[in-house]
Amino acid sequence: MQGEESELSVEREDSTMAEPEFDHVMGIVVDGVIGAIGGAVGTAALTVGLLIATSLNAFDLNAFATLAELTGLSALYPSNPAAVGYVLFLLTGMVMWPLLFASIGSYLPGRKYATKGIPFGVVLWTGFAPAFYDGYVGLALVLYVVLTFFSHVFYGFTLGAVFDYLGDRPESLV
């Protein structure tokens, strides 16, 4: 029986040493930082697209004020609620969407996270387009749809590209 106990303890030592890195707290924190970096880069790409749309009168940056007003945070900086709304938009792009992407990314089509981010960005666009629509018609409507669509595609792609570049994510945790 003593031989069985020592054999059992060896198995226990081997199993604790073979645990994957992403299951530890530090691995989770690193994944969170990677997600925040990816979200910041993606939101920067998205913002460039929105600024191009703004310069073509196909997007109004004051639409971000609606976010601040809906959450009640416009009281923080009442002279410029659009700035508060943009900060909310940035935080959502850096925290909420990367967290969702990290959790469902392995189930999206594509081999790399950069290509998996493209359909993810398209899905985000389906919520953004009606939420930020401000009565555009004619050419402005076409530009709004096209520019916001590609801005979200670039968001997803760059978010995934950062995951590919900085992270060593397993194929599936489930």
Side-chain angles (χ1 to χ4, degrees):
M1 289 194 90
Q2 286 180 348
E4 289 178 18
E5 288 177 13
S6 64
E7 192 175 306
L8 186 61
S9 65
V10 170
E11 287 179 27
R12 219 186 258 153
E13 288 175 18
D14 289 341
S15 67
T16 58
M17 292 172 53
E19 287 183 19
E21 188 68 30
F22 59 85
D23 279 345
H24 295 295
V25 172
M26 192 58 186
I28 294 169
V29 170
V30 168
D31 277 354
V33 170
I34 290 170
I37 293 169
V41 172
T43 305
L46 176 61
T47 301
V48 168
L50 294 178
L51 289 173
I52 291 169
T54 299
S55 70
L56 298 173
N57 293 321
F59 184 74
D60 184 11
L61 291 176
N62 288 322
F64 290 119
T66 305
L67 285 177
E69 291 166 5
L70 286 174
T71 59
L73 294 175
S74 59
L76 294 175
Y77 191 46
S79 64
N80 194 354
V84 175
Y86 181 76
V87 169
L88 274 170
F89 182 76
L90 177 65
L91 290 174
T92 303
M94 287 180 63
V95 178
M96 189 171 79
W97 299 135
L99 180 60
L100 179 62
F101 183 68
S103 60
I104 67 167
S106 61
Y107 302 105
L108 294 172
R111 286 196 164 154
K112 295 187 174 259
Y113 276 90
T115 54
K116 292 172 184 268
I118 293 171
F120 183 74
V122 170
V123 169
L124 294 180
W125 174 77
T126 63
F128 178 91
F132 285 86
Y133 173 72
D134 197 23
Y136 306 108
V137 294
L139 182 60
L141 175 61
V142 172
L143 288 172
Y144 172 76
V145 169
V146 170
L147 290 172
T148 59
F149 176 80
F150 283 109
S151 296
H152 281 80
V153 167
F154 293 141
Y155 170 82
F157 179 81
T158 54
L159 173 65
V162 171
F163 271 68
D164 286 335
Y165 186 75
L166 294 179
D168 186 20
R169 303 193 57 76
E171 285 299 313
S172 176
L173 296 177
V174 181

